[in-house]
Amino acid sequence: MPATLRVALIGPGFMGRMHAHAWRTAPRFFDLPVTPELVVLAGRDAERTAAAAASYGVPESTDDWRTVIDRSDIDVVDICSPGDTHAEIALAALAAGKHVLCEKPLANSVADAERMVAAAEQASSAGAVSMCGFSYRRTPALALARRLVEDGRIGRIRHVRAQYLQDWLSDPEAPFTWRLDRERAGSGTLGDIGAHSIDTAQWLTGEDIMRVSAALRTFVPTRPVRGESVGLGGRAREDAPHERVTVDDAAAFTASFASGALGVFEATRMATGHRNSNRIEINGDRGSIAFDFREMNELEFYDAADPAGEQGFRRIQVNEPEQPYAGAWWPAGHGLGYEHLFTHQVVDFVRAIGGGETAAPTFADAARVQRVLAAVEDSAANDSAAVDVAPASIEGAPA
Ligand code: SOE
C-alpha cells in the first residue's frame, strides 16, 4: 500500500465542494491506513473549475475528465457530476483500475446501474474498490439505529415510515436547473432525495423492498431559465424565457418489504418550511427507532422491554465515544453537522481500500435502489398499480 492515495474529483458543484472538504478533513481526524491527497478537479467549464479548485484547495484542474483516467498517478476517481455522466466515467475509471466513489443515485437507469455493477465486480478482482455515496448512512445516529436494529432491539419489523422533505422548488419562479431535466438527472425528487430514503430503509432494516404502489406529481411544469432573466433575490423577471420540467416534483409510495413489513414513503421539494427534513421511523414488535435530520445528533428509541410505568421514547444524544464515528470528533455533546457524513464516507472508503473493511453501499446495493426507483416510476405511470421490484439481471456477472 503506497503512503498516499491520489484523488481526482469530478464535478465542481455543491457535492464536489463537500467531497473536497471531506477528503481534506478525514485524515486529520481519523486514523487511516493510507493518506488521501486531492490532486485534480475536473469540470465542464475550464474557468469555473479552476476557480473552484483554487477555492477547494485542489492543486490542479481540467475541463476534460478523460485526462484524469489516463493518468497513472491517480488512484481514486470520485464522481460528483450530474447523473447522466456517472456510468461513462465510472466504467472508464474502473477499466483503468481506479477505485471509484460515485455520488447517488448511482445512474440514470437500471441498465446503466447494472453495467456499473458488473464493471465493479470485475474490477474488484484486480483490487479496485467501488462505493456509492448514500451519505446519510454515515450519520452517527443512523449508524447507531442500524446497530440497534441488527441487535434485535426493536424486534420483528412491521412499519417503515420515511419522509424526505425539502422546499427549494416551492416557489414556481425558482429557476430551472439540471436537476429538473430528465436527460441529465434521470428522475426528479424521487431519484435525488427519495433514493436516500429507499437506501436508508433497506440498509436499516436489512430487508429489500419487493413491491410498490406509487404516485408522482410535477406541480410546476415550466420554470424560468437562469441567468439574465433571473433578477434580484433569484426570482424570474416577467419576460423570462421558460424551460419545461421533465421530472417529478414529488413522489409518494407504499412499499412491501421482504418480511411483509409495510413502508410509506414521501419525497418532495415542495414542502414549504422544510429546508432539509429527512425523517425515518421504524416500528418493530419490541420497540421503535425514529430519526429526523433536523436533529441529526439525536436518535429516538423506544424499548418495549422497559418497565411498565417508565415506557416512552428516549432521546439518545449520539456524540459519545462508544457511538459510531463520534469518538474521533469533539468532547461528548458538542454536535456534528451535514459535512461530517461526507468525511465519514471518505473514512470508510479509504479503510476499505486499505483492506480493512467492506465498502458499502456497493454498486450492487445502489443498483437495488435504482430498481426500486424504476418500479416507483412504473407504478406511477400505471395509475398506482402495484409493481414488483425487478430482480437483478446481471448482478455479479462479468461485464
Ligand atoms: C438536493 O437538494 C440535495 O442536495 C441532494 O442532492 C443531496 O443528496 C441531499 O443530501 C441534500 O439535498
Side-chain angles (χ1 to χ4, degrees):
M1 175 67 50
T4 56
L5 196 63
R6 293 169 59 85
V7 180
L9 190 56
I10 319 275
F14 163 45
M15 269 306 131
R17 185 172 181 217
M18 184 61 82
H19 282 225
H21 170 82
W23 285 109
R24 285 198 315 267
T25 310
R28 297 198 165 92
F29 284 85
F30 290 81
D31 288 331
L32 299 179
V34 52
T35 305
E37 182 188 331
L38 277 169
V39 174
V40 56
L41 176 66
R44 287 192 308 172
D45 180 287
E47 214 174 307
R48 189 178 157 231
T49 308
S55 145
Y56 305 169
V58 188
E60 296 175 48
S61 69
T62 172
D63 62 358
D64 182 1
W65 62 264
R66 285 181 184 81
T67 59
V68 313
I69 308 287
D70 296 337
R71 285 174 60 159
S72 59
D73 64 334
I74 296 296
D75 305 303
V76 172
V77 174
D78 180 5
I79 306 170
C80 298
S81 44
D84 62 333
T85 65
H86 289 187
E88 190 185 6
I89 300 173
L91 292 176
L94 288 166
K98 316 290 186 202
H99 307 291
V100 176
L101 175 59
C102 182
E103 258 301 327
K104 45 48 67 176
L106 186 62
N108 277 3
S109 68
V110 171
D112 274 354
E114 296 203 328
R115 283 164 60 217
M116 292 165 80
V117 173
E121 289 285 331
Q122 197 168 51
S124 78
S125 48
V129 170
S130 26
M131 192 170 106
C132 184
F134 280 111
S135 50
Y136 288 99
R137 287 191 181 204
R138 269 80 199 184
T139 313
L142 285 175
L144 176 64
R146 159 128 166 138
R147 202 187 272 175
L148 291 170
V149 174
E150 250 180 352
D151 290 349
R153 299 290 299 278
I154 68 167
R156 193 153 18 109
I157 291 162
R158 291 176 175 147
H159 292 285
V160 176
R161 224 162 281 114
Q163 297 170 324
Y164 199 146
L165 315 175
Q166 296 184 340
D167 70 352
W168 58 279
L169 286 178
S170 52
D171 180 350
E173 298 304 311
F176 190 84
T177 91
W178 67 267
R179 289 196 180 281
L180 305 179
D181 177 1
R182 193 175 177 82
E183 288 294 311
R184 299 204 69 198
S187 67
T189 299
L190 175 66
D192 183 27
I193 56 176
H196 278 303
S197 296
I198 295 166
D199 179 66
T200 305
Q202 294 193 135
W203 167 68
L204 281 180
T205 59
E207 286 190 37
D208 287 343
I209 293 172
M210 307 305 285
R211 185 168 242 236
V212 296
S213 172
L216 298 176
R217 287 285 179 284
T218 303
F219 294 111
V220 179
T222 69
R223 287 189 178 268
V225 291
R226 245 181 225 284
E228 296 278 307
S229 57
V230 175
L232 282 177
R235 302 200 83 231
R237 295 193 182 138
E238 267 171 22
D239 59 346
H242 276 57
E243 187 95 32
R244 202 162 74 82
V245 173
T246 47
V247 298
D248 59 280
D249 285 329
F253 62 97
T254 57
S256 297
F257 287 77
S259 67
L262 265 184
V264 181
F265 289 77
E266 189 187 3
T268 177
R269 294 158 168 164
M270 294 280 188
T272 34
H274 288 276
R275 301 290 194 260
N276 194 47
S277 302
N278 179 4
R279 306 165 167 170
I280 188 158
E281 176 162 340
I282 303 180
N283 313 122
D285 60 0
R286 295 180 54 197
S288 296
I289 56 106
F291 171 81
D292 184 335
F293 192 72
R294 288 188 299 183
E295 307 293 344
M296 66 160 285
N297 290 286
E298 293 177 357
L299 179 71
E300 288 195 76
F301 173 48
Y302 172 81
D303 187 345
D306 282 348
E310 292 175 20
Q311 289 186 347
F313 273 94
R314 67 182 86 146
R315 196 178 282 198
I316 305 171
Q317 189 164 11
V318 192
N319 294 128
E320 306 283 336
E322 295 76 14
Q323 293 160 334
Y325 305 110
W329 295 102
W330 318 119
H334 284 61
L336 302 185
Y338 181 62
E339 71 276 22
H340 291 84
L341 319 190
F342 295 85
T343 302
H344 301 159
Q345 182 167 278
V346 161
V347 168
D348 291 341
F349 185 59
V350 171
R351 286 183 174 161
I353 291 171
E357 285 143 46
T358 313
T362 62
F363 278 13
D365 296 329
R368 179 139 236 302
V369 173
Q370 205 79 39
R371 292 197 298 277
V372 177
L373 297 176
V376 167
E377 292 211 286
D378 194 3
S379 167
N382 289 289
D383 215 10
S384 305
V387 170
D388 288 336
V389 176
S393 56
I394 56 166
E395 214 158 278

